[in-house]
Structure formats: structure tokens, C-alpha cells
């Protein structure tokens, strides 16, 4: 599978991404429950553990024979296996900041800003070996609208997120 | 306080970094394999951190309802989906749509739980987000 440099995203892909956000809400909700009984480190640690087991089960169920066909991208560099480190550090940082004066809403709002700034740079320069994409005017307008809406929701005190 | 602000923003950057890295791995393997490595490596890193800092398994930790452990398997699907999407629609679109979906579903979940939220503000937020999503489709 190559990554087509299409200008206009497939609506099904956009819908999938939007639905993925719903999965995140469920995940945060369940992990919050674990954090309540244990702590943030325990919640993330056990979620990564049960997740590893679930991934092995899914891989076993969906196992296909197409081996050795790596497409145009070749072998993955070693650093590509280390995405989990970044995720683990995220957990530790947010465990600190939600207990600071920033609280949950400040942590979410600043995290949102960090994500957006990074994603703009990631697309602009094709960071970590992914395709370069230049944003269109509409993309930037959409960015403004989604950020404004998200900030409103965070400030309105919606507790699940 | 300055340090907290830095940490919170850095946490957001790292969410993007891991999605980008997992996306690269999925191009050479598959989204599910990328998700597997993400979880295994994260589990090892968190185990190490817990052993150094202590308090990995606090008292009462295992009294959580069993349903709460579904967060991990949901996370596997979440990371696999992100790894699949990011080479296809780009980092900005992936980040924005996932954030938008998270916010809107969070508002809905809160309605069901009747948790406190300022309804006019969260409704306006949902409208703005949906308008933004529609806009990503227009030329």
C-alpha cells in the first residue's frame, strides 16, 4: 500500500478519524476508572499490558501469510519501534500537570495546542519519514474552527475529556 | 507554573510524535503490528519507570471494575487506526478530526452521565467542530 498524495481526503477516512476520537473518549473514561482505584501510572501501565495481550490475540486472529512484501518503504528503521516511549512519557507528564494549577482543563487545552503545532510541522516537513503535505486555506480555517470549538467544550467543563 | 505549562504542551507534542512514528512503522509492517509494538514498548518503559519511582501497583488498585480494563484493548484499536490514517490524510487532519471526535463524543457521554457542563458553551463548541469537519472536505 502506498500513501497516495491526494489533495482532497476521502470522506470515509475523515469519518474514521472522527470515530477514532470517540474511541479515545471511551479509553480515557475506562483508564480514568483505573486511575481512580490506583493512580495514573498504574492505569497507563495496566492499559499497556492488557493492550499488548489484546494486540497479540488480534494479530493471531487476523494472521495473514503475505510475508516479505514490505512495499516501497522497505524495512522499518529501529526508531520506528519506539513510539511507545513517547506515549509513556506523555502519561508521566500529564500525571504531573493535572495535579498542578493547570488542572485537567489546562492540561487538555495546552496539549491540544502542542498537538496542533507539531502536526503542522510534521506535515510541512514530512517528519519521521511520512509524506509532506502542504495545508490549503480551508484546512487552516477548519483548524481554527475545531480548535475554537474544542476550547469552548474544555472550558464548559465537560468532564469526560 | 511555567514548568507545568511546558510539560502540558510537551505532552501534546509527544502525542503527535508517537502517532507519526507509529505511522511510519505501519508503512513497513501493518497498523496492528505498529500498535502492538507501541503497547509492548510502552509497557516495558512504564514498568521500568514504576520500578524506579515505586508505586506501580498502589493498594486497592485491583478493586477497579473489570470493565475498566477494556481501556487497553480499545487503545490498541485507537493506535492502529491512527497509524493507518496518518499516511493517508496527514498529521493535521488526523489530529484535528480525532480531537473533534473526542470532544463531541465527550459532550454526549457527559449528557448521559448528567455530569456538569455549561450546555450552551458545549453545544456551540460541537457546532464549531462540525463546521470545521465539513470545511476539511471543501475545496
Amino acid at each position: 500500500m502506498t500513501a497516495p498524495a491526494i489533495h482532497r481526503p476521502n470522506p470515509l477516512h475523515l469519518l474514521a478519524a472522527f470515530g477514532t476520537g470517540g474511541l479515545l473518549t471511551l479509553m480515557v473514561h475506562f483508564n480514568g476508572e483505573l486511575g481512580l482505584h490506583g493512580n495514573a501510572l498504574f492505569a497507563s501501565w495496566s492499559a499497556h499490558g492488557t493492550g499488548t495481550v489484546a494486540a497479540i490475540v488480534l494479530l493471531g486472529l487476523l494472521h495473514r501469510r503475505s510475508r516479505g512484501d514490505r512495499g516501497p518503504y522497505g524495512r522499518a528503521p529501529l526508531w520506528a519501534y519506539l513510539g511507545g516511549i513517547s506515549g509513556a512519557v506523555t502519561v508521566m507528564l500529564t500525571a504531573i500537570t493535572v495535579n498542578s494549577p493547570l488542572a485537567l482543563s489546562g492540561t487538555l487545552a495546552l496539549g491540544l495546542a502542542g498537538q496542533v503545532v507539531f502536526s503542522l510541522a510534521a506535515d510541512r516537513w514530512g517528519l519521521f519519514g511520512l509524506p509532506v503535505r502542504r495545508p490549503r486555506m480551508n484546512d487552516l480555517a477548519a483548524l481554527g474552527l475545531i480548535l475554537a470549538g474544542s476550547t469552548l467544550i474544555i472550558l464548559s467543563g465537560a468532564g469526560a475529556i | 507554573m511555567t514548568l507545568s505549562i511546558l510539560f502540558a504542551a510537551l505532552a501534546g507534542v509527544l502525542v503527535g510524535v508517537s502517532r507519526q512514528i507509529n505511522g511510519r512503522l505501519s508503512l513497513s509492517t501493518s497498523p496492528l503490528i505498529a500498535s502492538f509494538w507501541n503497547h509492548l514498548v510502552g509497557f516495558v518503559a512504564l514498568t521500568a519507570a514504576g520500578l524506579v519511582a515505586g508505586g506501580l501497583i498502589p493498594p486497592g488498585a485491583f478493586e477497579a471494575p473489570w470493565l475498566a480494563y477494556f481501556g487497553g484493548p480499545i487503545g490498541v484499536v485507537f493506535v492502529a487506526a491512527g497509524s493507518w490514517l496518518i499516511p493517508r490524510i496527514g498529521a493535521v487532519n488526523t489530529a484535528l478530526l480525532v480531537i473533534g471526535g473526542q470532544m463531541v463524543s465527550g459532550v454526549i457521554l457527559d449528557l448521559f452521565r448528567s455530569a456538569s457542563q455549561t450546555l450552551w458553551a458545549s453545544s456551540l463548541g460541537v457546532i464549531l467542530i462540525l463546521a470545521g469537519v465539513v470545511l476539511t472536505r471543501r475545496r
Side-chain angles (χ1 to χ4, degrees), chain B residues 8-95:
Chain B
L10 183 61
V13 170
L14 288 177
V15 168
V17 169
S18 66
R19 196 178 280 146
Q20 198 83 0
I21 292 178
N22 290 329
R24 174 63 189 85
L25 181 57
S26 82
L27 287 179
S28 292
T29 57
S30 79
L32 193 53
I33 291 175
S35 184
F36 162 73
W37 283 107
N38 175 79
H39 281 80
L40 181 65
V41 170
F43 182 71
V44 171
L46 288 167
T47 305
L51 291 178
V52 171
L56 188 58
I57 303 177
F62 291 113
E63 281 156 32
W66 61 271
L67 202 62
Y69 288 94
F70 271 78
I74 293 173
V76 170
V77 179
F78 175 74
V79 172
S83 306
W84 185 79
L85 284 166
I86 201 166
R88 287 172 172 77
I89 62 173
V92 173
N93 279 334
T94 306

Side-chain angles (χ1 to χ4, degrees), chain A residues 52-76:
Chain A
T52 304
V53 175
I56 292 170
V57 171
L58 281 175
L59 283 170
L61 289 175
L62 302 174
H63 180 71
R64 268 174 290 170
R65 278 177 187 278
S66 57
R67 295 243 140 209
D69 176 27
R70 291 178 195 278
Y73 289 94
R75 225 176 159 64

Side-chain angles (χ1 to χ4, degrees), chain A residues 14 17-19 21-22 25 112 138-139 141-156 158 161, chain B residues 93 95-108 121-137:
Chain A
L14 299 180
F18 199 71
T25 296
L112 219 126
N138 273 349
D139 289 334
L143 189 149
L145 283 173
I146 294 177
L147 276 186
S150 302
T151 311
L152 256 179
I153 290 173
I154 291 171
L155 295 179
S156 81
I161 42 179
Chain B
N93 279 334
L96 282 180
L97 288 163
V98 170
I99 290 168
Q102 185 193 7
M103 294 294 155
V104 172
S105 57
V107 167
I108 295 169
S122 49
S123 312
L124 182 59
V126 169
I127 292 169
L128 288 175
I129 288 172
L130 294 180
V133 171
V134 170
L135 205 55
T136 58
R137 273 293 296 154

